Amino acid sequence: MQIRFTKMQGAGNDFVVLDETRERLGLTPAQYRFLADRHFGVGADQILTVRPSPAEGIDFEYLIHNADGGQVQQCGNGARCFARYVRDKGLTAKDRIRVQTMAGVIAPELTADGRVTVDMGRPVLDPARLPFDTAGLVPVPQGSVKKWPLALDGQAPQATVMIVAVSMGNPHAVQLVDDVDSAPVARTGPLIEGHPRFPQRVNAGYLQVVGRTEVRLRVYERGAGETLACGTGACAAVVAGIGLGLLDARVDVHTRGGLLTIAWAGGLQDPVFMTGPATTVFEGQIDIPETP
Ligand SMILES: N[C@H](CCC[C@H](N)C(=O)O)C(=O)O
């Protein structure tokens, strides 16, 4: 099957964008994996799909598939690219749109400086509302949040990391580190991502607090491995940092792929706002095998 796609990136988190506003492609998980494959396909961290409005007051539906082919609830860097895509393709004349995701409605807005700001909705900090099995764990309270011990099996000696569990529609386990560059992301990221306490798996964030308005972040993403940036991961990390009493309400997040700015007023009813870049890299077409 021959399909057209647009390659985009937001702070180095890269995407294949597919237009299903006129017809559905009916792709399988294996075909999403093929598109994301950096040797046999196009190459991407996630595949983003644009679909028509599902309801009154909503402009588009937004689907997200990780490189491993699994569909997930939310993608923040992808939301900025989504807004840029639909505007540039003439699918909307609006600068601010409302988009339905599996995690609810988000609102990206193209800003005058060429970046995109997204109302990412409210964070969820209550472990009882997260796909996180806390049975038998004893949390350590700090500020307005709890840090939970996560024993990483397979390590000698067995390591335990203290994480803050945050959902931005998708699950994140955020830990504080002294220096992101020396953080054991490659070794412990997969152990956290696949930890049995997270039955839906989890995105693993490594947060270095530089100051009350500046942090550095690396994320080992569920279904994609370490990416150059993770938008929902940046939101989750800042929410965790504010909850721990370490950050102010507006924070610059330095990722390996670029700068994201996250703002959260600190109340559980308050939305998280993410601002950052969204760039079209190239247009293309590719022949997808029926059974890759
Ligand atoms: N790996 C994530 C989805 C993509 C999130 C990330 N690319 C972002 O910008 O938020 C998950 O499985 O929940």
Side-chain angles (χ1 to χ4, degrees):
M1 168 173 44
Q2 183 107 62
I3 66 157
R4 303 191 60 77
F5 66 88
T6 300
K7 184 76 192 298
M8 300 187 78
Q9 60 89 9
N13 190 194
D14 67 337
F15 310 106
V16 166
V17 184
L18 304 176
D19 182 348
E20 288 193 359
T21 56
R22 284 174 284 277
E23 65 168 337
R24 296 207 176 173
L25 299 170
L27 300 181
T28 64
Q31 291 176 314
Y32 286 117
R33 283 195 296 276
F34 170 82
L35 282 172
D37 190 292
R38 298 189 185 281
H39 300 286
F40 297 101
V42 179
D45 295 324
Q46 280 86 32
I47 313 297
L48 313 180
T49 300
V50 183
R51 284 191 176 163
S53 167
E56 183 70 32
I58 306 289
D59 296 290
F60 296 98
E61 185 180 11
Y62 166 31
L63 275 63
I64 302 131
H65 289 82
N66 278 325
D68 69 359
Q71 186 174 0
V72 290
Q73 303 92 338
Q74 195 54 273
C75 177
N77 289 322
R80 301 196 311 276
C81 290
F82 187 104
R84 166 87 57 227
Y85 177 89
V86 294
R87 190 75 168 76
D88 291 353
K89 292 289 185 179
L91 295 172
T92 182
K94 297 180 182 177
D95 285 335
R96 185 179 191 276
I97 57 175
R98 288 171 52 79
V99 176
Q100 182 70 55
T101 70
M102 279 174 69
V105 177
I106 58 173
E109 179 171 11
L110 302 178
T111 55
D113 64 1
R115 294 188 298 171
V116 185
T117 292
V118 189
D119 173 343
M120 293 296 294
R122 299 166 186 159
V124 172
L125 279 159
D126 176 0
R129 292 181 52 210
L130 285 166
F132 176 28
D133 172 14
T134 60
L137 297 182
V138 179
V140 174
Q142 180 177 337
S144 61
V145 298
K146 295 179 178 129
K147 292 195 285 193
W148 297 86
L150 214 54
L152 302 185
D153 297 331
Q155 297 299 295
Q158 185 186 70
T160 295
V161 292
M162 297 302 291
I163 61 106
V164 176
V166 185
S167 174
M168 289 304 303
N170 59 343
H172 294 266
V174 182
Q175 61 181 286
L176 292 172
V177 294
D178 294 333
D179 173 17
V180 288
D181 293 328
S182 60
V185 176
R187 179 166 55 83
T188 62
L191 297 176
I192 297 169
E193 180 206 11
H195 198 282
R197 292 231 178 234
F198 290 97
Q200 294 178 15
R201 297 182 296 159
V202 73
N203 299 284
Y206 298 76
L207 171 63
Q208 175 186 346
V209 176
V210 175
R212 293 195 61 86
T213 62
E214 188 175 11
V215 301
R216 301 177 69 209
L217 179 70
R218 290 173 69 184
V219 180
Y220 189 92
E221 285 199 32
R222 176 178 63 173
E226 181 175 8
T227 57
L228 293 181
C230 178
T232 52
C235 296
V238 169
V239 166
I242 292 171
L244 291 168
L246 303 174
L247 300 177
D248 290 345
R250 183 181 180 81
V251 178
D252 281 344
V253 180
H254 298 280
T255 75
R256 291 189 154 185
L259 175 68
L260 300 177
T261 300
I262 308 297
W264 182 51
L268 294 179
Q269 301 308 312
D270 294 320
V272 182
F273 292 91
M274 169 194 61
T275 299
T279 304
T280 298
V281 183
F282 64 89
E283 306 279 352
Q285 57 189 35
I286 187 169
D287 190 22
I288 302 184
E290 286 305 312
T291 52

